[in-house]
Amino acid sequence: MSFSRLPSPTSFNRSTVVQLPRASSVFNIFSRRGLPIFSAFFLWSVGTGAVQLARPLFAASLGAPIFLVTLVTASNSVGQLVAGPITGFGMDRWGRKPLLIIGLTIRAASSFAQFFTTSYAEFLVLEFIGSLGVSMWSTGATILIADLSVAENRGRAVAARSFSTRLGSIAGPLIGAAIATAFDLRSIFIFNGLTKVADIAIVAFIVHESRPERTAPTVGAPKEGRLDVIRAMFANRSFLVIAVVAFAISVMTQGVFQALFPIYLQSERGLATSEIGSLTAVAALATVLVLFPNGYLVDRFGRKSTLVPGLVVLGVTALLLAVSADYGGLLLAVIVYGIGEGMCAGSSQAYAMDLAPADRRGAFLGVWGVLNSSGSIAAPLLIGFATQQLGFGPAFTGLSVALVGVAVFTLLLGPNTRSRMKRAVAAGETPSLAPR
């Protein structure tokens, strides 16, 4: 599978010309150019997958109640609010590589420091610092894939990135569980730091800069004010839809599955750490099996073709978690969750990349990254509080209803970027998927 670099959508600022790589250049997952990038995604997710298992359990081992355990996950989202937009604007100005390296360095240092943590407060502070690096990496990785793909094959490009990430997510919890069994939970943080050091080497010495080059503004072209540019990018129905979708997906993935799921399995179902790690790996495996078929469907039939059903599937997952009483029911729930996550994550990312203007891609996707994490700020705290007061069942049932509602909202109001592109091509124009 390869991804050709064709002209990106036109930007809002017509006075700036964006020079992109030649259309003949190829971005292939196994090519000399593509393999290091996808290897870096894989290494990142191996360490992160291990930490996702360790984070809530380690916080609980420090004496934190459920609400404060979810606060640790929410602190990661606060970091996204701070670092996401800065990373996006910075990458438009200084390039992709410098910000990626800084983010990796921050996360590696914070993870090494967590090995020596002796209190919940220290752990929370270090987790917030590390979340700044996580935000810089996740935002930069999204921008990098957007640079190296176009609307016609973006679903498959996102699928290739997700495939690399999910392979790591399968291995990560299993490795984390093995490390915790052989040593202890805190040793997982050393392992995570080492994976980030390896990524620093890959980005610094192998990955090439992908920021589009800009030429001087066209003589006599009208200048657009900063407020006009911001309004054009964000004050429209298209951005509202992807904002709501990003929030909803974050509630389920980062709010429930990452923050509450391990505690739920341990406290309510009595599962061991190794069993929790196995279920997490099953969810990641289910996602991997969906990724490439979903990428094809997204490119062939449009972003909503899998995004809307995927939101419904996540809603079903929340309901299954509420009613499952044995291991078999929980196994079914994580399989359904993996399918829904694979459908939603790929299509929503491609959707946002379609709408990002070429010369301000970093800024646009940086703000979109904030929206992805905003659900993880309020939602884990809200769900954690509701769970503490009412129990897991009512919290998961309410989330199920909300996710189905977002699916209906997206179906009715979400723009069809694929149809817009086809109309532009048929009219002999350069495809422009920028928000309207």
Side-chain angles (χ1 to χ4, degrees):
M1 179 179 58
S2 62
F3 312 109
S4 302
R5 288 289 286 122
L6 301 175
S8 291
T10 54
S11 64
F12 297 114
N13 190 346
R14 308 295 181 179
S15 63
T16 302
V17 178
V18 180
Q19 299 293 337
L20 298 172
R22 295 176 301 174
S24 60
S25 64
V26 174
F27 180 54
N28 187 288
I29 188 171
F30 295 116
S31 68
R32 189 169 64 178
R33 186 184 185 194
L35 186 58
I37 295 174
F38 292 112
S39 297
F41 294 157
F42 172 77
L43 285 172
W44 171 275
S45 62
V46 168
T48 300
V51 167
Q52 286 175 0
L53 172 66
R55 183 188 295 120
L57 298 177
F58 186 70
S61 72
L62 294 173
I66 291 178
F67 181 74
L68 291 183
V69 170
T70 59
L71 181 62
V72 174
T73 301
S75 71
N76 281 267
S77 303
V78 175
Q80 176 74 61
L81 288 178
V82 175
I86 295 175
T87 300
F89 283 98
M91 285 188 168
D92 284 342
R93 184 180 180 92
W94 295 297
R96 310 329 191 195
K97 287 183 60 171
L99 277 297
L100 285 171
I101 293 173
I102 292 172
L104 287 166
T105 302
I106 292 173
R107 187 49 181 153
S110 67
S111 191
F112 287 135
Q114 285 175 323
F115 176 80
F116 302 99
T117 300
T118 58
S119 70
Y120 171 81
E122 292 176 357
F123 182 66
L124 181 63
V125 170
L126 288 171
E127 194 63 27
F128 172 74
I129 293 173
S131 72
L132 300 178
V134 172
S135 173
M136 296 176 74
W137 171 261
S138 60
T139 301
T142 301
I143 295 168
L144 189 64
I145 293 299
D147 288 343
L148 299 170
S149 65
V150 291
E152 298 95 320
N153 53 29
R154 188 156 284 149
R156 284 163 287 176
V158 171
R161 173 199 174 183
S162 299
F163 179 77
S164 305
T165 301
R166 293 304 170 182
L167 285 180
S169 296
I170 293 172
L174 296 176
I175 294 174
I179 292 174
T181 301
F183 302 99
D184 54 21
L185 279 173
R186 67 177 63 243
S187 298
I188 295 175
F189 300 113
I190 293 292
F191 173 73
N192 184 45
L194 292 175
T195 62
K196 275 46 180 181
V197 171
D199 274 346
I200 291 172
I202 292 174
V203 174
F205 300 109
I206 303 177
V207 175
H208 299 291
E209 180 60 57
S210 65
R211 182 185 61 169
E213 297 179 4
R214 297 183 183 183
T215 63
T218 305
V219 177
K223 290 186 177 181
E224 294 179 286
R226 185 180 299 272
L227 186 59
D228 294 330
V229 172
I230 293 175
R231 185 184 300 113
M233 283 198 291
F234 304 121
N236 53 77
R237 188 187 68 184
S238 301
F239 192 79
L240 173 63
V241 171
I242 64 172
V244 172
V245 168
F247 184 90
I249 295 173
S250 294
V251 170
M252 187 61 192
T253 57
Q254 298 178 3
V256 171
F257 199 72
Q258 293 184 22
L260 289 181
F261 189 62
I263 301 299
Y264 171 67
L265 295 182
Q266 189 177 68
S267 63
E268 297 293 313
R269 300 301 179 223
L271 299 187
T273 301
S274 59
E275 293 175 310
I276 297 173
S278 297
L279 286 175
T280 305
V282 168
L285 177 60
T287 301
V288 167
L289 296 177
V290 170
L291 289 176
F292 285 119
N294 183 75
Y296 171 79
L297 292 173
V298 164
D299 288 337
R300 179 68 178 83
F301 300 106
R303 315 315 186 200
K304 291 198 296 182
S305 66
T306 64
L307 179 58
V308 172
L311 288 166
V312 174
V313 171
L314 288 181
V316 171
T317 300
L319 186 60
L320 287 174
L321 288 176
V323 301
S324 296
D326 55 20
Y327 187 87
L330 293 171
L331 180 61
L332 175 62
V334 298
I335 292 174
V336 174
Y337 168 80
I339 294 171
E341 186 188 11
M343 295 170 69
C344 289
S347 52
S348 63
Q349 287 182 49
Y351 215 168
M353 292 175 188
D354 285 350
L355 299 171
D359 63 336
R360 294 185 179 87
R361 184 171 288 143
F364 186 93
L365 293 177
V367 173
W368 177 75
V370 170
L371 297 173
N372 266 314
S373 292
S374 64
S376 299
I377 297 174
L381 299 178
L382 179 62
I383 293 176
F385 179 78
T387 300
Q388 196 162 288
Q389 299 298 317
L390 304 174
F392 286 97
F396 292 157
T397 301
L399 177 58
S400 176
V401 174
L403 286 167
V404 174
V406 173
V408 174
F409 172 79
T410 305
L411 176 65
L412 297 177
L413 298 180
N416 191 331
T417 54
R418 179 176 176 272
S419 296
R420 191 184 304 175
M421 180 192 69
K422 290 180 67 176
R423 288 196 301 269
V425 171
E429 302 171 354
T430 301
S432 177
L433 305 178
R436 295 178 179 177

